[in-house]
Amino acid sequence: MAGGKNRVCPVERAGSLEHWLRKLLQNPNGIVGRYLKPGMSAIDFGCGPGIFSIEMAKMVGGKGRVFAVDLQQGMLDRLAAKIKGTKLSSIIKLHRCSENSIGLKEKLDFVLAFYVVHEVPDQTKLFQEIKSLMKPNAMLLVVEPSFHVSKKEFQGTVEKALSLGFKAIEMPRVFFSRSVLLGLK
Ligand SMILES: C[S@@+](CC[C@H](N)C(=O)[O-])C[C@H]1O[C@@H](n2cnc3c(N)ncnc32)[C@H](O)[C@@H]1O
């Protein structure tokens, strides 16, 4: 597992990810709403307690799918408790991945990687796997915390993706963050 500042966010910190102020400043609808339509398939990679997964599921609706993927069962359990007995439980598929493999086969329209890529030990392998899951017009939104990831480190991450055949579409503005929307060349 990655060490130092790149260590995996512990389940005990999930509450801060769900804070109302965060949902206001990093509103999932404002951040991903324009990329998702009813019927689409998407991954919320490194979903944590799932504030994005839940809103993404509302956007893709009953004919769509959101794979909420995380390394830690404790994070998936928090999300499971929130959607239990609701319509969202048939849209969101919880999936525990391993440190260096997502392990899904479904083809996707959209991938969100919010505040997770800096925690992944092998970013190149991650981008390769995401690429293999993307439909030709699919998009990948990478958002990293500017308080943990320097501009130079973020550029390094983007360059890894570009060298694998991604293209940068735009750099959307997200509070306290560095972000890039990527597509396939
Ligand atoms: C800082 S949290 C962000 C959670 C969520 N994306 C959000 O913004 O609310 C990072 C999450 O990524 C997960 N994670 C870390 N390394 C991972 C890996 N290699 N594969 C999948 N998930 C990972 C952690 O378990 C944690 O839930």
Side-chain angles (χ1 to χ4, degrees):
M1 232 173 245
K5 70 172 186 167
N6 295 340
R7 70 189 182 281
V8 172
C9 173
V11 176
E12 297 71 46
R13 294 230 348 247
S16 63
L17 296 167
E18 299 167 305
H19 196 276
W20 65 267
L21 187 58
R22 179 181 185 222
K23 288 185 196 162
L24 196 69
L25 295 175
Q26 296 185 339
N27 184 294
N29 290 299
I31 294 170
V32 297
R34 72 194 105 149
Y35 310 123
L36 286 166
K37 292 194 183 72
M40 283 186 164
S41 287
I43 286 188
D44 182 7
F45 175 72
C47 62
I51 71 159
F52 286 90
S53 310
I54 287 175
E55 298 310 317
M56 287 164 71
K58 293 176 191 167
M59 292 167 201
V60 301
K63 295 203 169 119
R65 277 282 169 279
V66 173
F67 297 92
V69 176
D70 206 283
L71 188 61
Q72 299 184 87
Q73 189 59 45
M75 291 292 193
L76 297 173
D77 290 345
R78 281 184 84 109
L79 173 54
K82 281 187 251 179
I83 60 173
K84 190 178 174 194
T86 73
K87 276 195 289 191
L88 299 179
S89 63
S90 60
I91 303 170
I92 298 176
K93 300 292 167 205
L94 303 171
H95 176 75
R96 188 174 180 189
C97 64
S98 62
E99 197 175 42
N100 266 321
S101 173
I102 299 173
L104 288 174
K105 297 270 175 269
E106 285 74 8
K107 288 287 174 187
L108 303 160
D109 299 289
F110 181 71
V111 180
L112 176 67
F114 204 107
Y115 282 17
V116 57
V117 173
H118 64 285
E119 296 186 9
V120 175
D122 189 340
Q123 296 182 2
T124 298
K125 195 161 184 290
L126 172 68
F127 287 133
Q128 272 166 340
E129 189 173 4
I130 290 176
K131 190 180 167 199
S132 75
L133 298 174
M134 287 168 69
K135 292 180 188 173
N137 291 321
M139 287 185 280
L140 161 64
L141 179 63
V142 177
V143 184
E144 292 280 76
S146 48
F147 46 91
H148 275 323
V149 177
S150 68
K151 198 171 174 183
K152 196 170 164 208
E153 285 167 327
F154 187 68
Q155 273 167 355
T157 291
V158 175
E159 274 158 27
K160 278 178 205 148
L162 298 184
S163 72
L164 292 168
F166 284 91
K167 64 178 177 191
I169 299 170
E170 58 172 330
M171 308 210 79
R173 288 174 75 96
V174 179
F175 262 111
F176 307 123
S177 307
R178 307 185 197 285
S179 67
V180 64
L181 180 70
L182 298 162
L184 300 175
K185 273 188 194 156

